[in-house]
Amino acid sequence: MKKIMSLMAAGLMILPSLAFAEDAPVSEMSFILNTFSFLIMGILVMWMAAGFGMLEAGLVRSKNVATICLKNISLFGIAGILFYLMGYNLMYAGVDGGFIGSFGLWGADDAAALAGDYSGGYSAASDWFFQMVFCGAACSVVSGCVAERIKLWSFLAFCVVLCGVIYPIQGSWAWGGGWLSEMGFADYAGSTLVHSVGGWAALTGAIILGARKGKYGKDGRVNPMPGSNIPLATLGTFILWMGWYGFNGGSVLALGDAASAIEMGNVIANTNLAACGGMIAAMIMVQVLYRKVDVTMGLNGALAGLVSITAGPATPSLGAAILIGGVGGVLVVLAVPLFDKLKIDDVVGALSVHLVCGIWGTMAVPFTDSGTSFMVQGIGVVAIGAFVVIASSVVWLVLKFTVGIRANEEDEYRGLDLSEIGMEAYPDFQTIHIGGGSGMPSNAAAQVMTSAATNPAKQH
Amino acid sequence: MKKIMSLMAAGLMILPSLAFAEDAPVSEMSFILNTFSFLIMGILVMWMAAGFGMLEAGLVRSKNVATICLKNISLFGIAGILFYLMGYNLMYAGVDGGFIGSFGLWGADDAAALAGDYSGGYSAASDWFFQMVFCGAACSVVSGCVAERIKLWSFLAFCVVLCGVIYPIQGSWAWGGGWLSEMGFADYAGSTLVHSVGGWAALTGAIILGARKGKYGKDGRVNPMPGSNIPLATLGTFILWMGWYGFNGGSVLALGDAASAIEMGNVIANTNLAACGGMIAAMIMVQVLYRKVDVTMGLNGALAGLVSITAGPATPSLGAAILIGGVGGVLVVLAVPLFDKLKIDDVVGALSVHLVCGIWGTMAVPFTDSGTSFMVQGIGVVAIGAFVVIASSVVWLVLKFTVGIRANEEDEYRGLDLSEIGMEAYPDFQTIHIGGGSGMPSNAAAQVMTSAATNPAKQH
Amino acid sequence: MKKIMSLMAAGLMILPSLAFAEDAPVSEMSFILNTFSFLIMGILVMWMAAGFGMLEAGLVRSKNVATICLKNISLFGIAGILFYLMGYNLMYAGVDGGFIGSFGLWGADDAAALAGDYSGGYSAASDWFFQMVFCGAACSVVSGCVAERIKLWSFLAFCVVLCGVIYPIQGSWAWGGGWLSEMGFADYAGSTLVHSVGGWAALTGAIILGARKGKYGKDGRVNPMPGSNIPLATLGTFILWMGWYGFNGGSVLALGDAASAIEMGNVIANTNLAACGGMIAAMIMVQVLYRKVDVTMGLNGALAGLVSITAGPATPSLGAAILIGGVGGVLVVLAVPLFDKLKIDDVVGALSVHLVCGIWGTMAVPFTDSGTSFMVQGIGVVAIGAFVVIASSVVWLVLKFTVGIRANEEDEYRGLDLSEIGMEAYPDFQTIHIGGGSGMPSNAAAQVMTSAATNPAKQH
Amino acid sequence: MRKIECIIKPFKLDDVKSVLTDLGINGMTVSEVRGFGRQKGHAELYRGAEYQVDFIPKVKIELVVAADMVASVVEAVQKEACTGRIGDGKIFVSPVEQAVRIRTGESGEDSL
Amino acid sequence: MRKIECIIKPFKLDDVKSVLTDLGINGMTVSEVRGFGRQKGHAELYRGAEYQVDFIPKVKIELVVAADMVASVVEAVQKEACTGRIGDGKIFVSPVEQAVRIRTGESGEDSL
Amino acid sequence: MRKIECIIKPFKLDDVKSVLTDLGINGMTVSEVRGFGRQKGHAELYRGAEYQVDFIPKVKIELVVAADMVASVVEAVQKEACTGRIGDGKIFVSPVEQAVRIRTGESGEDSL
Ligand SMILES: Nc1ncnc2c1ncn2[C@@H]1O[C@H](COP(=O)(O)OP(=O)(O)O)[C@@H](O)[C@H]1O
Ligand SMILES: Nc1ncnc2c1ncn2[C@@H]1O[C@H](COP(=O)(O)OP(=O)(O)O)[C@@H](O)[C@H]1O
Ligand SMILES: Nc1ncnc2c1ncn2[C@@H]1O[C@H](COP(=O)(O)OP(=O)(O)O)[C@@H](O)[C@H]1O
């Protein structure tokens, strides 16, 4: 719920603060508080980039860890630059109920406020910063899903388009005041606009790239390729959980009046309980289904709860937030093997968490927010999904048939760390080539062998 | 120092801000700032859950790392849900000088503030959130102490009772306005109410569970079982240190007037210097006693300083804060081998840090706060200690004789990661079964052998 | 831009807020906001200590990881205590255009504000806290550069002098209102005062200590000694990036008026984009020069961008910020091999990042800030550089010829973790003694052998 | 009895294991080793300096078999582990005088 | 001289080491290996897929001894490492022609 | 053919490798082992308890050579790996009956 929403759903609440705009001192305070909220909450959202980085670094095999680290930090760099070059204006400048904003570099204009007119509500750069950090999150979703096989620079090229074009265009439809917002589509902090956008882009990427070699056996077997560092993945989840308070809490978009502060309190409490519900539900599900609790499912469950509540964290009661998150946690446990059955290889569970629960969360809003309708929510989900699937397919395919998107089999077997960036993530530790954890089960080995025999390149 | 304290010790300081309650705009600002402080500081306290998680993941052996990660994140989920279901109301609703609050789901009520009456001081959910995160911290203390041998679900069951019953009941005595608060017991941010509560619960758990196999030799030898990841433990300590600014700083419980802001500044500076004092004192102690600086003792020293200052961070001068923390640092270095001598096996030093220094910190308050007495402080420490020891013993014993609390010897030897959750924390890394770091010294091996011979289960 | 700067460059902006000082309620709010900003931003800067810790722990070899962790957390403890004992007053008390403040313990004095006079602007302790955390950052720069060979206690002794004497004296010249500030030297958040000060101290240390054994072959070969944990280094960089928002954003030194809030927004947006620019520029440079992207260069590039913008983050446009950071990123890629050519062994790239880019950032201020001159900036850089080089050389040499600063060759070969602190950072993991990653290339081995033969101490 | 040591490429381990179990071998001991030979290692880059990693990860399989099994085992491993490219590894056969099963104390070929 | 290779369960290492030093052995070389045999590995679970880890951690002790020590060493190890349960491991004895102590250049049994 | 096993101090590996390649050896297999012997391990400290780590990291080089190379290899390794201090390690020589290069199926000395 960006920009436009602050004039819509939260409209009434904002009014008192705008009213104060007349009496100088108070409205200056509101201006400061709104600005400070954007900055602090934006910093928390930026921190989520680190969370994604650690989660993904923990869930890939050790031979791809350095590469995924590099991807995660550099995509955040790309997000910042692209959102300055074109993203922000495409998303927010002159959308006017339409389908797209305008092109052009973004620049801060705080002349009015500096001249004592605080009706703008907040500093321009604080708003830019807060919107920009959201854009990085969508890329992070993609990186985890297509990990361990995609080429570094092709991935970064995709991020450029995602941040510069795809994300802002669809974002303009709802948060930029475009056609979806006019219809009344509600997505408070981005279950659809951020998470399922990342999810759709990741889905097309995963399909076009194909699964990691050896992941799926000929007989339909799924060969696990266990993540190399569970505490790192746990840390990443904690970071994401923490950052999410800013993601949702900052999306109140104001702190200058009591109503906004109250809303922020409710949003943060609900966000927290949805995560709790998602995690506990996922843990119980996985215990019941498999008799053991897979830690990574618990982590995914917490994230599932967070994604689920993100479309509407202000309206549910705490109990409803637990339920909304809990359903997310159940969905994720069911979705992970489902995607595997479809042979869509999602390394970290990004599709189950961000796409599936992003849709669920968006569709769940009308349960607690009477101002929304299932119909409109569905239109938003489908429209944005269709746009992102088409647009990112085009980009992935163009990349595939020009520079190529997939590391060759030999490189994939050796790991992207050696082949793409020429270094190891853990050079001092002996890694296992025998038995469990190698992620190279027998039929995989067979496949690699074949390739090795026909591809007389550098070898192992 | 929750709720009640804001009307007691800090009473005078709060007055000016309450006075502003008449003039609408300013008091709305106070309301916002109080709320925002609860939220931001609460987020920092939540972050401590990650700190405990990383500290403990770094200090257990690699075969138990995934399990401890799962415990640490899921206990935070439990804390949130239980504090909603019953904890908050048991602790704060209608205690009235008594021994317990009332039962019932918690729900936010901000009607007055939304109608323009800001005398409540802050948004309901922001307060709930801030109180809830404290509850998780007590569980985190337990998890580190009983690590490497306790069953996952039994541990979580204990957390349910701790969060839902034990913690809130004793919490009501002081922070909920119960009998201890009426006597004048002072515990600003919870040296006793949070840390030593966790410590007592951990102590009973550690005794009832017994030591890890092989930890104590027949001849009284202590066999070290070195932590598997020192940088992770260091990161955890940094996170805890950071989060503690929120733990203590947020416990001012207000930011709406200059006096509160000044107090918050003092609290944060003192908190920081107590940590510095504790760490440096511990490092010097350990260098003098052992001729080498054990990193983990330095880390524990910093935490010892933090726990020590927590009961009274507002009143000491900076120099006094260094001393209070420094004594904590010395205590921890002495307490760790002492608990070992008593054959109480505390994997991460939780008892030395949270219990011992929690008591020390509470008893040290009267040195700098003339409004408190050693007698009353002692009564609080003993009363809460007795209650928690009894209540948690009952829970541990019920669990022991129903579902069981301890993994069997074979499972303990293989590690809880394989036996309890069926995965490895670091599956790609070769771990050491020879010599140092295996944590399986000879007499331990002997014990395990005996067990293996008599227990014809799955084996190694 | 500390203290004095708030009366200089930003003077005009601060005026409105000071004007409010008359009307009680608003100025109390300004006081609170200024205080809260110091605290929150200071907490973010404290967090950078963890960032340095993780970055360095990731970039040293596994045999020195526990030691570098200990150094990084204990230096922060030293910084706090020394800044209380003497640092703050030396830097800020009675400098009056001169070269040094006064001696004495620091103590908070908030009597005026408590009496209702808010013209002081913020709580004393909040200011102390914010200034203190900067001091730790300078030490962290040193620790990374001289890692893997310096003795623990000698390093800590150096930190005592750096925090207690060297840092505050030079700091008084600009931020304490000394001679440099009177000349108009501008260093907003410390490209020179913090980063290049750390850099100069590190440079003298690195030269006086000498390179790690085996780092430079007789034939001029540089033998890489790869960092042991790339995700940890990445996490450290993310933490530093996050903390830097507080480092620069908090250096607005005010939040009590709209102009400050606007400035803070601009500073944070610029800080972010400079990091983006530095990282992307470094990645492109390294790809072009070496055909592969060294992750650690990307990380250093982001930090280079951050250091570069730190001297003047308020005045550039976003585009200029990208450029300033980007130049930093290019410089770092060029400087790393240059220092190696000079056989100055900088383990983590601290000189390239903090010294080189600290100078670049300071000299770049006049491009966007017309109130500054290249001449004065140059004088500041040279004066501070000369002072720090001389002062720290004296300290290093005194330490060298008394207690000694360098671990002996045998200890260096075994690693400081075993020899200095008697423990291992990763005791459960098998480490590699064969081939890559051992950091013990052949000619190094030869040197070690010679030493071993002549030095009949404990051996391997 | 003979000990057969096979040094092979790591990704061949599962195939070799399968073919050995097909031959009726039901015990072997495997370890991670690093090989130096005609096959050259990869270059790594670190902070502006490139370096060669000479030692290449290999897997060593050791199995003790009755003398009459040697020929078939050697042949099977050679065929299965072969990719035809440099670095495929070696098989060495050496004499073993005695073998004991620790669990039962059985010795000789019965213990294998 | 003979080389005795013992493949044992990891937690038995310290016991076996003790009994060997009691026998007057003062040198041995130990390594981590993974065994495949009658003892079956454990199942792990990852994201909804269960899988078997076939190779079980074992410790290999290698020691070279004078020929006349072989019987007592083999017996001692067999007794000490035995738990009576599947997977206890094996002892193999093979001939060694020459041994040299690097430090002194001594060779033969003196070098052990 | 003979197998030569050298247990050496880790930091000597590169020197020994060089001298071996100078002798014309172009293959060897190296592994990480832990040695127990006259050289005593280091003490570590953890949370107030000190303990001895008995097993010291060593590197084992295995190489199979033609019989006529044995003397020169043993001599070269002994000289190169020697520091004169306790713990320098051992060299063991044992018989090998057969050797096969997996890539080509060649056997005997040609396969080395
Ligand atoms: N003489 C030898 N003794 C022991 N191991 C050897 C010997 N020669 C080669 N090896 C091992 O065999 C592996 C493969 O040898 P290499 O020369 O690279 O290729 P190829 O097997 O195709 O001849 C080496 O990495 C090494 O582990
Ligand atoms: N023929 C063999 N050659 C080499 N090692 C073997 C052989 N058979 C078994 N082993 C080793 O001995 C270990 C134990 O063997 P296993 O068959 O599991 O049980 P047991 O020792 O009780 O017969 C295996 O894990 C493997 O390491
Ligand atoms: N009898 C033996 N069998 C196998 N390995 C041995 C034997 N004796 C020693 N070693 C190996 O040689 C290494 C060095 O032996 P040690 O007794 O410490 O010193 P030195 O080589 O100077 O006699 C040991 O760490 C061990 O790995």
Side-chain angles (χ1 to χ4, degrees), chain E residues 21-88:
Chain E
T21 51
D22 292 352
L23 281 177
I25 301 290
N26 44 28
M28 64 188 94
T29 299
V30 184
S31 54
E32 317 237 348
V33 297
R34 286 170 186 249
F36 175 85
R38 283 167 193 78
Q39 183 191 359
K40 287 305 152 222
H42 57 272
E44 298 196 19
L45 174 69
Y46 190 73
R47 306 187 70 64
E50 218 170 15
Y51 62 110
Q52 192 75 12
V53 175
D54 276 341
F55 292 98
I56 298 167
K58 302 279 172 194
V59 161
K60 177 164 86 171
I61 305 176
E62 290 171 278
L63 67 168
V64 174
V65 297
D68 56 9
M69 290 284 293
V70 169
S72 56
V73 166
V74 168
E75 198 203 315
V77 171
Q78 191 272 326
K79 253 182 72 185
E80 196 62 35
C82 180
T83 68
R85 293 190 296 142
I86 274 191
D88 275 352

Side-chain angles (χ1 to χ4, degrees), chain C residues 364-390:
Chain C
V365 174
F367 289 126
T368 64
D369 182 349
S370 57
T372 60
S373 80
F374 291 109
M375 168 73 97
V376 172
Q377 296 298 94
I379 292 176
V381 166
V382 170
I384 289 178
F387 170 70
V388 176
V389 165
I390 294 169

Side-chain angles (χ1 to χ4, degrees), chain C residues 190-201 354-355 358-359 362 381 384 388:
Chain C
S191 285
T192 288
L193 268 79
V194 179
H195 294 283
S196 75
V197 163
W200 291 117
H354 300 277
L355 179 55
I359 294 173
T362 309
V381 166
I384 289 178
V388 176

Side-chain angles (χ1 to χ4, degrees), chain A residues 25-375:
Chain A
V26 171
S27 95
E28 185 175 12
M29 286 298 136
S30 293
F31 181 95
I32 296 171
L33 286 168
N34 293 338
T35 298
F36 194 58
S37 167
F38 272 149
L39 294 175
I40 296 297
M41 296 301 176
I43 290 172
L44 286 172
V45 181
M46 171 272 173
W47 184 223
M48 291 170 69
F52 280 111
M54 295 304 109
L55 178 68
E56 296 173 14
L59 293 183
V60 301
R61 289 166 295 170
S62 56
K63 62 186 177 183
N64 295 312
V65 167
T67 306
I68 203 79
C69 287
L70 181 59
K71 282 175 189 161
N72 271 281
I73 198 163
S74 57
L75 70 81
F76 188 72
I78 287 174
I81 293 175
L82 267 291
F83 217 65
Y84 157 67
L85 290 180
M86 51 196 294
Y88 187 94
N89 280 346
L90 263 185
M91 188 153 166
Y92 290 112
V95 182
D96 290 332
F99 289 82
I100 189 165
S102 55
F103 283 89
L105 298 184
W106 181 83
D109 179 3
D110 290 301
L114 287 170
D117 168 7
Y118 303 118
S119 58
Y122 39 73
S123 106
S126 71
D127 171 47
W128 178 86
F129 179 68
F130 188 71
Q131 305 302 340
M132 177 273 294
V133 287
F134 276 66
C135 168
C139 291
S140 301
V141 173
V142 181
S143 85
C145 182
V146 300
E148 303 207 283
R149 56 207 192 277
I150 198 169
K151 285 185 180 178
L152 173 65
W153 287 103
S154 306
F155 170 74
L156 295 181
F158 183 82
C159 289
V160 166
V161 183
L162 184 60
C163 293
V165 183
I166 300 176
Y167 173 82
I169 288 180
Q170 63 83 32
S172 74
W173 301 353
W175 292 347
W179 67 280
L180 272 176
S181 80
E182 307 236 312
M183 284 183 70
F185 177 69
D187 188 6
Y188 199 92
S191 284
T192 288
L193 268 79
V194 180
H195 295 282
S196 75
V197 164
W200 292 117
L203 177 68
T204 54
I207 291 173
I208 292 171
L209 267 175
R212 287 167 292 172
K213 286 300 146 198
K215 177 68 189 172
Y216 303 112
K218 276 157 283 184
D219 49 350
R221 264 198 63 185
V222 177
N223 294 311
M225 297 179 168
S228 53
N229 195 326
I230 298 300
L232 213 54
T234 308
L235 176 66
T237 305
F238 269 120
I239 293 174
L240 285 164
W241 191 324
M242 183 191 195
W244 229 290
Y245 297 132
F247 200 89
N248 290 358
S251 292
V252 175
L253 302 179
L255 182 67
D257 56 306
S260 300
I262 290 168
E263 185 172 328
M264 192 181 285
N266 292 332
V267 165
I268 287 179
N270 280 336
T271 299
N272 186 70
L273 280 181
C276 298
M279 182 173 53
I280 302 297
M283 283 177 64
I284 292 172
M285 272 295 281
V286 80
Q287 170 77 27
V288 168
L289 290 181
Y290 302 102
R291 317 300 316 153
K292 290 203 168 166
V293 185
D294 182 328
V295 184
T296 67
M297 285 291 198
L299 303 180
N300 276 175
L303 300 179
L306 289 163
V307 172
S308 302
I309 200 68
T310 292
T315 45
S317 66
L318 292 188
I322 296 177
L323 285 181
I324 291 170
V327 171
V330 169
L331 285 175
V332 92
V333 175
L334 300 174
V336 164
L338 191 75
F339 281 110
D340 271 339
K341 204 152 285 167
L342 298 171
K343 296 196 197 301
I344 296 171
D345 184 13
D346 174 9
V347 179
V348 304
L351 300 177
S352 307
V353 168
H354 299 277
L355 180 54
V356 172
C357 295
I359 294 173
W360 152 245
T362 308
M363 296 311 297
V365 174
F367 289 126
T368 63
D369 182 348
S370 57
T372 60
S373 80
F374 290 109
M375 168 72 99

Side-chain angles (χ1 to χ4, degrees), chain A residues 422 424 433 449 459-460, chain D residues 9 12 32 39 44-45 86:
Chain A
E424 293 169 66
H433 301 97
M449 180 197 77
Q459 56 179 325
H460 234 259
Chain D
K9 291 185 173 168
K12 283 295 192 183
E32 317 238 347
Q39 182 191 0
E44 298 195 18
L45 175 69
I86 274 191

Side-chain angles (χ1 to χ4, degrees), chain B residues 434-435, chain C residues 460, chain E residues 17 26-31 62, chain F residues 7-8 10 32-41 53-60 87 89:
Chain B
I434 298 171
Chain C
H460 235 255
Chain E
K17 188 192 77 181
N26 44 28
M28 64 188 94
T29 299
V30 184
S31 54
E62 290 171 278
Chain F
I7 293 149
I8 61 170
E32 317 239 346
V33 296
R34 289 176 181 243
F36 175 86
R38 285 167 191 80
Q39 183 191 0
K40 289 304 153 222
V53 175
D54 276 342
F55 292 98
I56 299 167
K58 301 279 173 195
V59 161
K60 177 165 85 172

Side-chain angles (χ1 to χ4, degrees), chain C residues 410 413-414 418 421-424 427 429-435 438 440-443 445-446 448-449 451-453 455-460, chain F residues 9-15 18 30-32 34 39-40 42-46 51 53 56-60 80 82-88:
Chain C
E410 188 82 37
Y413 175 69
R414 293 168 68 215
L418 282 184
I421 60 176
M423 74 190 307
E424 293 168 68
F429 300 148
Q430 289 195 43
T431 48
I432 292 180
H433 301 97
I434 298 171
S438 73
M440 188 44 54
S442 47
N443 28 11
V448 169
M449 177 196 78
S451 113
N455 170 3
K458 62 201 154 155
Q459 57 178 325
H460 235 255
Chain F
K9 290 185 172 169
F11 74 87
K12 283 296 192 182
L13 175 61
D14 281 295
D15 295 331
S18 303
V30 184
S31 53
E32 317 239 346
R34 289 176 181 243
Q39 183 191 0
K40 289 304 153 222
H42 58 272
E44 298 196 20
L45 175 69
Y46 189 74
Y51 62 111
V53 175
I56 299 167
K58 301 279 173 195
V59 161
K60 177 165 85 172
E80 197 61 35
C82 180
T83 69
R85 293 190 296 143
I86 273 191
D88 276 351

Side-chain angles (χ1 to χ4, degrees), chain B residues 235-275:
Chain B
L235 176 65
T237 306
F238 268 121
I239 292 174
L240 285 164
W241 191 324
M242 183 191 194
W244 228 290
Y245 296 132
F247 200 90
N248 290 358
S251 292
V252 175
L253 302 178
L255 182 67
D257 56 307
S260 300
I262 290 169
E263 185 172 326
M264 191 180 285
N266 291 332
V267 165
I268 287 179
N270 281 336
T271 299
N272 187 69
L273 281 181

